[in-house]
Amino acid sequence: MGIASLKGRDLLAISDLTPEEMTDLLQLAADLKAGKLAPRCDKVLGLLFSKASTRTRVSFSVAMYQLGGQVLDLNPSQTQVGRGEPLQDTARVLDRYLDIVAIRTYRQEDLQTFADYVQIPVINALTDLEHPCQILADLQTIQACFGQITGLTITYLGDGNNVAHSLLLAGAMMGMNVRMATPDGFQPAPEIVALARKLAAPGTKITLTDDPQAAAEGAHILYTDVWASMGQEDLADARIPLFQPYQVNQALLQQADPQAIVLHCLPAHRGEEITEAVLEGPQSRVWDQAENRLHAQKALLVSLLGLL
Ligand code: CP
Ligand code: NVA
């Protein structure tokens, strides 16, 4: 195990990290949570968010404040970005003011364009393709609950998009058996599946299925996300009957390992992808998972800024 120094690097996708770097980051996050380390900085983090956010915005902000740094909220509607200033121009200017930037946007290509024009670290705070920051907190939660990650079986149920993509990749890289149960037409993107198979730790099993019961059988973790992501709200009603069999409810949880935990990145739609009883039930770890966003995001800032 080493010191998680990723100074100057970007986190545009979870596969930007090696499994060893992920392990080091998770240890750093756990040490920060336990109060074993108290790194300090006087840096400035910019948040460029084109979509709503509670957890990502607040966890990054609080993490930066606790480190002694500052945060600038650069909502595109309040900057010239919203009036059409080219991303390349915005990027080059912000590069000269900020020390690090977290971006939440739609297209992964826009995130990449921004990163291509700056020297400072760029963090993916959610795109339509990936949500790597979320998955660091998820892995931290799994490690804390089970004392291990490798060898566990995680089952994701629902839409095979951003959160599912990062989970599939990270899970496979860390040696988890990953089962993705999605309705037909909502499987993870083929290029993500191919990358997950390529990067998977030896012995890891990746299963894609449309059978939620089989996918949940004996799993250690059941994980779900909303059925209609931000930007897809007008499709939500039409999706409900398609996704209903993938709801995480008591009956599905009965199929899992008796010690199984339930995770959800939040926000949750009770009665859709997860029932109230499961979300608030004894096997749910969603509030610890949400708390870990703070510690995992702080670890990421410490590492990318080279504060250790
Ligand atoms: N899980 C997550 O990223 O939440 P927010 O959309 O509230 O940031
Ligand atoms: N899939 C969801 C995740 C939100 C954190 C979305 O993109 O809206």
Side-chain angles (χ1 to χ4, degrees):
M1 198 141 19
I3 293 175
S5 183
L6 306 170
K7 189 174 181 183
R9 298 252 300 268
D10 294 331
L11 182 67
L12 306 185
I14 196 71
S15 56
D16 287 344
L17 300 173
T18 65
E20 294 72 29
E21 288 169 342
M22 258 189 261
T23 302
D24 290 348
L25 265 180
L26 295 177
Q27 185 60 51
L28 176 57
D31 287 349
L32 288 165
K33 184 173 184 175
K36 292 185 189 165
L37 297 165
R40 302 285 297 169
C41 75
D42 59 359
K43 308 285 187 188
V44 180
L45 164 70
L47 299 177
L48 264 85
F49 280 31
S50 305
K51 299 174 178 173
S53 171
T54 298
R55 280 142 289 267
T56 310
R57 181 192 302 280
V58 179
S59 61
F60 267 116
S61 300
V62 172
M64 200 59 183
Y65 294 140
Q66 290 181 349
L67 290 169
Q70 304 204 44
V71 182
L72 268 179
D73 196 346
L74 300 162
N75 187 323
S77 66
Q78 284 157 4
T79 63
Q80 300 287 9
V81 174
R83 296 180 58 249
E85 182 169 9
L87 211 45
Q88 294 88 328
D89 297 2
T90 305
R92 280 174 288 184
V93 173
L94 293 181
D95 191 38
R96 298 184 181 214
Y97 301 149
L98 301 172
D99 298 295
I100 189 163
V101 64
I103 300 180
R104 172 168 286 204
T105 191
Y106 294 88
R107 289 158 28 97
Q108 184 79 10
E109 294 78 8
D110 290 341
L111 182 72
Q112 184 64 57
T113 300
F114 195 99
D116 288 344
Y117 280 83
V118 299
Q119 306 294 318
I120 57 171
V122 178
I123 299 169
N124 179 349
L126 177 79
T127 62
D128 290 346
L129 190 71
E130 278 217 41
H131 198 2
C133 296
Q134 175 69 51
I135 270 43
L136 292 174
D138 301 342
L139 293 177
Q140 187 184 351
T141 310
I142 292 166
Q143 174 72 44
C145 288
F146 294 97
Q148 65 181 92
I149 294 173
T150 303
L152 297 175
T153 295
I154 186 164
T155 296
Y156 175 91
L157 301 116
D159 190 6
N161 69 340
N162 44 20
V163 169
H165 285 161
S166 297
L167 192 68
L168 170 58
L169 288 162
M173 290 166 70
M174 297 298 281
M176 300 177 92
N177 296 312
V178 189
R179 302 177 185 161
M180 308 294 295
T182 60
D184 194 27
F186 296 91
Q187 291 92 349
E191 65 273 20
I192 296 286
V193 176
L195 185 61
R197 292 198 194 283
K198 186 174 147 205
L199 298 178
T204 298
K205 202 165 164 209
I206 295 173
T207 310
L208 303 186
T209 177
D210 62 0
D211 183 341
Q213 266 79 28
E217 184 75 45
H220 301 102
I221 303 127
L222 297 187
Y223 194 123
T224 190
D225 182 14
V226 294
W227 290 342
S229 288
M230 287 182 275
Q232 303 175 331
E233 288 82 358
D234 51 336
L235 304 171
D237 287 347
R239 286 189 179 188
I240 289 175
L242 280 175
F243 279 81
Q244 194 61 46
Y246 300 85
Q247 183 187 66
V248 177
N249 53 33
Q250 291 289 5
L252 196 78
L253 192 48
Q254 297 284 316
Q255 306 291 315
D257 184 272
Q259 307 300 321
I261 63 166
V262 175
L263 299 180
H264 189 312
C265 56
L266 304 177
H269 292 84
R270 291 164 167 83
E272 292 187 20
E273 75 275 3
I274 191 163
T275 58
E276 169 87 9
V278 171
L279 187 73
E280 301 291 359
Q283 287 168 274
S284 169
R285 294 292 177 275
V286 299
W287 313 116
D288 290 339
Q289 180 187 11
E291 180 193 330
N292 286 335
R293 296 296 305 276
L294 172 62
H295 311 298
Q297 266 61 123
K298 194 188 287 178
L300 191 60
L301 291 170
V302 167
S303 189
L304 298 179
L305 289 168
L307 302 183
L308 285 180

